[in-house]
Amino acid sequence: MPFGDFEAWRRELLWTGRLVQDGDTSVSEEEAGYRYDRYVALADMVDGTEGPAAVHALISSLQVEQGEGAHEAIYGALEQFPGQDLVDGTVLAAVDLLRIPHLHSGQVLQLLTLLGTADDLRTFATDCGRLEPELRAGLAELIAAHEADEWLADERSLGRLRLARD
């Protein structure tokens, strides 16, 4: 793990992930710039050895629609993780996938389909099958919505995320 205090890193990532949106005058330009730069720096600290909890934190940090490129650092950080950690962290972030902007949930799920092996995706399906029924249903709807639009609609991703039921 490239940073010593995981919980402090996670808290700061979530705080800075509330990037200032266009037209928001409640925060100074200096503060907005600081949050942006720090958010990218926190994402860049990740080397993929931090485990599923870091994947969960990265996904949870995708809180706002506009990122002016900062979110690319998060996606790049997610690409560093082994498939199983990406799967486990994404399952941990199931509630967050339903909460974050649609654009980001689609990109996260697409990364999962592109980077995960067939075994990883079977594990994802099995682990999601153990989630509360309402959460599982929400994820199934989210996956179906992304399969109907651009994120999971191409041949590399379509149909690769299926949720098992206990």
Side-chain angles (χ1 to χ4, degrees):
M1 178 179 292
F3 38 86
D5 186 346
F6 175 81
E7 189 56 32
W9 172 84
R10 187 190 71 77
R11 278 192 312 270
E12 190 174 8
L13 181 75
L14 294 175
W15 179 78
T16 58
R18 293 190 305 262
L19 296 166
V20 178
Q21 301 295 280
D22 290 342
D24 182 352
T25 58
S26 67
V27 177
S28 71
E29 285 186 35
E30 181 178 275
E31 176 64 23
Y34 170 79
R35 282 191 202 174
Y36 179 95
D37 292 343
R38 187 63 181 152
Y39 185 60
V40 171
L42 290 163
D44 288 345
M45 288 179 186
V46 171
D47 67 9
T49 63
E50 299 83 4
V55 171
H56 180 188
L58 290 162
I59 293 170
S60 298
S61 80
L62 296 165
Q63 301 169 57
V64 296
E65 188 76 35
Q66 300 168 357
E68 307 296 329
H71 294 127
E72 295 307 317
I74 299 299
Y75 302 130
L78 289 170
E79 291 174 7
Q80 302 297 313
F81 289 88
Q84 191 58 56
D85 285 350
L86 186 59
V87 164
D88 292 345
T90 302
V91 173
L92 288 172
V95 169
D96 300 297
L97 283 171
L98 299 175
R99 180 187 51 78
I100 64 177
H102 192 73
L103 161 78
H104 300 311
S105 66
Q107 287 186 291
V108 167
L109 292 171
Q110 183 185 52
L111 276 175
L112 189 59
T113 65
L114 297 177
L115 300 175
T117 65
D119 284 342
D120 293 334
L121 298 181
R122 277 191 291 277
T123 298
F124 177 79
T126 301
D127 290 353
C128 285
R130 295 184 186 113
L131 296 172
E132 293 296 320
E134 298 82 22
L135 181 53
R136 188 173 54 238
L139 280 177
E141 288 175 23
L142 181 67
I143 290 167
H146 285 304
E147 287 182 338
D149 69 22
E150 65 185 272
W151 294 111
L152 299 177
D154 76 19
E155 65 278 354
R156 299 172 303 160
S157 299
L158 187 62
R160 294 199 70 206
L161 295 178
R162 294 289 173 239
L163 305 185
R165 296 183 187 273
D166 278 345

